Amino acid sequence: MGGGNAVGNTAAAGGSGSKLLEILNVRVIGSGEKVVVLSHGFGTDQSAWNRIIPYLQRDHRIVLYDLVCAGSVNPDHFDFRRYTTLDAYADDLILIIDSLNIDCCFFVGHSVSAMIGILAAIRRPDLFLKLILIGASPRFLNDRDYHGGFDQGDAEQVFEAMEANYEAWVRGYAPLAVGADVPAAVREFSRTLFNMRPDISLFVSKSVFNSDLRGVLGLVRVPCCIVQTSRDDSVPISVVAHLKAHLGGRTTVEILNTEGHLPHLSAPALLAPVLRRALSR
């Protein structure tokens, strides 16, 4: 059905699907014909969208969930063997959408979830009307002809700092990631980072840094909207150009006049109109 307006009763979902809905704290809120799935990035949980929801819930059905690595999910459910790559997270996303009996939806993914959405859309393009990719990067590490923003040595230093003193790492990383001078956003990001079990946080960080999805971008046939801040220390602007050049579907770019990697926390009033515009097309 157009716009993904069939959101079924979760009780009707299959056994494994209904269990996953419970484990990942899936919620459906709002009203309207269009269905929007909001998927958070590393170090946050679904509460990261709290400042965006009021802009969307009046005329959209919003699906919220937590990635299995989030601190809001029972860490016993994190399978270190299964979640070595982003493919398992894409499996979860597809199972959530299918279990809710959603025909098709708009997908908004932040950071690592942008890549999770890309993998899911390659596998099941029928489920997605459009991907809205915030702070997306197919590869964080530099390569010969590609500037991802980090050298291998930079990544190793991050891992060492996380392992040596997780609390100190969070206190240093959170303000750098937020970028903009928004203390409330730094506090909120710090809170959800601290909620993660440190060994899971380190494992996921390594998985993300080791990911390289450049080779599959051309397989995306779903329209995409890339949303990027004017300065993001995690994702250089050159990555946006790479995504636009290589994504297989029709792709537009929106640059927000603010800094940082988490505009939904630090600049929701700037991000929300961009999202609404992307959702209207």
Side-chain angles (χ1 to χ4, degrees):
M1 296 182 185
N5 57 357
V7 180
N9 189 323
T10 58
S16 61
S18 60
K19 183 66 176 172
L20 186 70
L21 297 180
E22 180 184 342
I23 290 169
L24 300 185
N25 306 311
V26 176
R27 295 188 297 142
V28 183
I29 62 173
S31 58
E33 290 293 304
K34 294 178 180 178
V35 177
V36 184
V37 177
L38 301 180
S39 189
H40 67 85
F42 167 77
T44 59
D45 57 35
Q46 64 180 266
S47 68
W49 302 109
N50 284 352
R51 294 173 178 85
I52 295 297
I53 289 170
Y55 294 93
L56 302 180
Q57 66 182 352
R58 189 182 74 251
D59 46 9
H60 298 84
R61 297 292 299 277
I62 303 170
V63 177
L64 295 153
Y65 76 104
D66 295 323
L67 297 179
V68 69
C69 57
S72 48
V73 173
N74 184 333
D76 292 343
H77 293 299
F78 189 84
D79 186 338
F80 286 89
R81 291 166 301 177
R82 180 166 181 251
Y83 292 99
T84 51
T85 71
L86 300 184
D87 293 282
Y89 296 90
D91 290 338
D92 287 350
L93 172 60
I94 290 169
L95 185 54
I96 287 169
I97 295 171
D98 281 341
S99 298
L100 292 173
N101 295 323
I102 295 171
D103 296 332
C104 52
C105 67
F106 290 88
F107 175 83
V108 181
H110 171 246
S111 196
V112 66
S113 271
M115 294 300 112
I116 293 167
I118 279 174
L119 289 171
I122 291 170
R123 204 169 308 162
R124 290 285 304 279
D126 58 297
L127 291 179
F128 300 95
L129 291 166
K130 191 177 206 177
L131 305 179
I132 301 172
L133 312 171
I134 305 171
S137 176
R139 177 183 166 99
F140 285 93
L141 294 177
N142 298 329
D143 205 353
R144 282 175 303 175
D145 55 350
Y146 172 83
H147 181 59
F150 297 85
D151 291 321
Q152 185 65 50
D154 299 329
E156 294 300 332
Q157 285 183 343
V158 170
F159 304 150
E160 288 169 12
M162 293 177 78
E163 210 159 7
N165 188 329
Y166 186 71
E167 181 177 345
W169 174 77
V170 168
R171 297 199 185 284
Y173 172 64
L176 285 176
V178 171
D181 184 17
V182 185
V186 174
R187 286 194 299 271
E188 179 62 17
F189 188 39
S190 299
R191 179 187 70 80
T192 51
L193 279 167
F194 281 132
N195 280 348
M196 292 182 76
R197 209 171 73 187
D199 61 327
I200 293 176
S201 185
L202 176 62
F203 183 85
V204 174
S205 291
K206 289 181 176 179
S207 298
V208 171
F209 269 105
N210 288 327
S211 293
D212 186 353
L213 298 185
R214 291 175 298 170
V216 303
L217 296 177
L219 301 177
V220 178
R221 291 291 177 257
V222 177
C224 295
C225 175
I226 301 165
V227 182
Q228 180 75 11
T229 64
S230 56
R231 179 180 172 183
D232 180 347
D233 285 346
S234 298
V235 182
I237 206 75
S238 56
V239 171
V240 175
H242 183 92
L243 284 169
K244 187 165 191 322
H246 291 88
L247 280 166
R250 179 172 52 83
T251 302
T252 58
V253 175
E254 297 271 2
I255 303 296
L256 300 178
N257 187 25
T258 188
E259 294 183 14
H261 190 56
L262 300 105
H264 47 320
L265 287 181
S266 61
L270 270 182
L271 175 61
V274 170
L275 293 181
R276 287 190 62 86
R277 189 160 63 244
L279 293 170
S280 70
R281 295 172 180 169

